[in-house]
Amino acid sequence: MSLAYQLDTQQRYTYQDYLRWPDDVRYELLDGEPVMMSAPSTMHQRVIRELVRQIGNFLLGKSCEVFPAPFDVCFAAADAADDQINNVVQPDISVICDGNKIHDKGCKGAPDWIIEVLSPSTASRDLIHKLRLYERYGVREYWVVHPIDRVVMMWQLSADSGRYGAVLIEETQGMQASGLFPDLVLEWDVLFPPPKPLVYVKEPPPGGYYS
């Protein structure tokens, strides 16, 4: 029987346990609780692919790097042992500017910018549990993209309070700049083309015809 069916959701696990699981077992750990990850939809993957392309092109030659899922992010101190880490997630997109956090298995410490693409199965996790986790560990900017409703929700960490300010909600159309990278302007219309204008055909008069 696959380990995916043997995990006890009432038990708490650590990163040390996580590393022993087979590659085909897709879970995240939220305060030690295993949360199964479902396969992403085609639209979900298209959104990630295009955002990574635009962000990656902007970061060429810069010290920051962008990583799409699957990419393990361990929220813990740099010297934390594997059996002391109980928060391991796979954000859809992670931008990391401190190369010391990156290792051969992923990232240890908070990325600077995380983007999650919302789906029905992840809505509460992304908007409640992960929002709190990313704020607690100091992710400087957090975006949640809703591909169906075509909106993006954005939080920025206050340097004074260490908390996220009020959420900014924008439509995914036109251009959108990042708070961390003001020169990076994402082109939403590449992902979500505006609808074509409707063309109305005038009805011919009675007895008339179209030429």
Side-chain angles (χ1 to χ4, degrees), residues 172-193:
T172 52
Q173 62 182 21
M175 306 287 194
Q176 180 67 57
S178 160
L180 287 180
F181 307 101
D183 295 334
L184 168 57
V185 180
L186 297 177
E187 299 180 34
W188 289 120
D189 292 345
V190 176
L191 268 170
F192 308 108

Side-chain angles (χ1 to χ4, degrees), residues 6 26 47 119 129 131 153 165 176 188:
Q6 295 178 8
R26 298 195 69 231
V47 172
S119 63
H129 303 290
L131 175 66
M153 293 163 275
Q176 180 67 57
W188 289 120

